[in-house]
Amino acid sequence: MKIISSVKNYAIVGKTGDDLLNQMDRKGPKHGFLTRAIAQTRYAVTWDIAWQSNGRDCRVQRVNANIDITYTYPRVVSRLSPAMGKKWNAFLRGVRKHEETHGAIAQRMVKTAEKSVAAVSIKRDPHCFAARAEVKRRVAAAYDKYEAQQRDFDAREHRDGGVVSRLVDRLVQ
């Protein structure tokens, strides 16, 4: 598995935690149709699969997955007081840790799918039609499992009293 990681920033201004949160609500990456997020982890996976067929059976000969992860974070472009600067830095460290956990879950998903796909071997499949369908099924199953983990992680972190909730509370205190 090859991992490509990049970071994007969007500019925000303000002097208080409330100012900064309002800016993130207005300028943050889209999360759904009408809402915006503080930060975001997006990823795309590409697959390179080599097939081997002996005229009767088909198997995966080689599989390489590439995951391209893009993290998007807010960046304060206005001058902050020393006290607000410390709050901001603590807030952003927590946000980065949260997003990097999303990235780690995505990487585990790809690694699991890659391992599962490498084991595909179908008898009486000379044109690899069944093998290709099995690869798609296995990849989809891995994606479903790990996307559920992504949602569960967010539910824990964003609930009242959760990690993200506490980060926001500390920023605006």
Side-chain angles (χ1 to χ4, degrees):
M1 174 175 68
K2 181 179 176 187
I3 303 164
I4 302 164
S5 181
S6 61
V7 174
K8 290 183 182 177
N9 295 103
Y10 63 95
I12 61 172
V13 296
K15 294 191 182 296
T16 68
D18 284 326
D19 292 344
L20 299 174
L21 281 174
N22 287 334
Q23 286 275 296
M24 288 182 269
D25 283 343
R26 285 186 42 236
K27 296 181 175 181
K30 287 192 177 187
H31 180 71
F33 185 65
L34 296 174
T35 60
R36 295 197 176 260
I38 291 169
Q40 188 175 62
T41 302
R42 294 181 93 61
Y43 57 89
V45 181
T46 55
W47 293 91
D48 177 20
I49 301 173
W51 302 92
Q52 182 176 20
S53 175
N54 62 8
R56 290 187 320 270
D57 307 327
C58 179
R59 72 176 185 85
V60 171
Q61 181 180 26
R62 176 186 40 78
V63 60
N64 293 308
N66 297 316
I67 182 167
D68 188 348
I69 303 171
T70 303
Y71 299 101
T72 303
Y73 299 110
R75 182 180 64 219
V76 177
V77 295
S78 55
R79 186 169 286 244
L80 297 176
S81 70
M84 182 49 63
K86 284 182 183 180
K87 283 184 179 184
W88 175 256
N89 289 336
F91 173 80
L92 195 56
R93 272 192 309 275
V95 168
R96 285 184 186 279
K97 183 177 179 184
H98 173 89
E99 295 305 323
E100 288 169 3
T101 300
H102 279 300
I105 293 169
Q107 289 175 47
R108 287 194 306 268
M109 172 193 72
V110 173
K111 191 173 202 168
T112 298
E114 193 176 54
K115 185 176 178 182
S116 177
V117 165
V120 170
S121 179
I122 307 286
K123 299 216 180 277
R124 294 177 299 284
D125 185 23
H127 302 292
C128 298
F129 295 136
R132 290 175 197 276
E134 179 62 14
V135 163
K136 286 181 184 178
R137 187 194 68 73
R138 290 182 184 200
V139 168
Y143 283 13
D144 289 347
K145 175 184 173 184
Y146 283 89
E147 286 302 316
Q149 289 180 15
Q150 298 278 21
R151 288 187 301 275
D152 292 347
F153 173 67
D154 265 343
R156 284 190 312 276
E157 294 268 306
H158 288 278
R159 77 178 191 284
D160 284 342
V163 172
V164 173
S165 174
R166 289 192 312 266
L167 289 170
V168 169
D169 289 346
R170 286 185 203 125
L171 183 64
V172 298
Q173 290 176 347

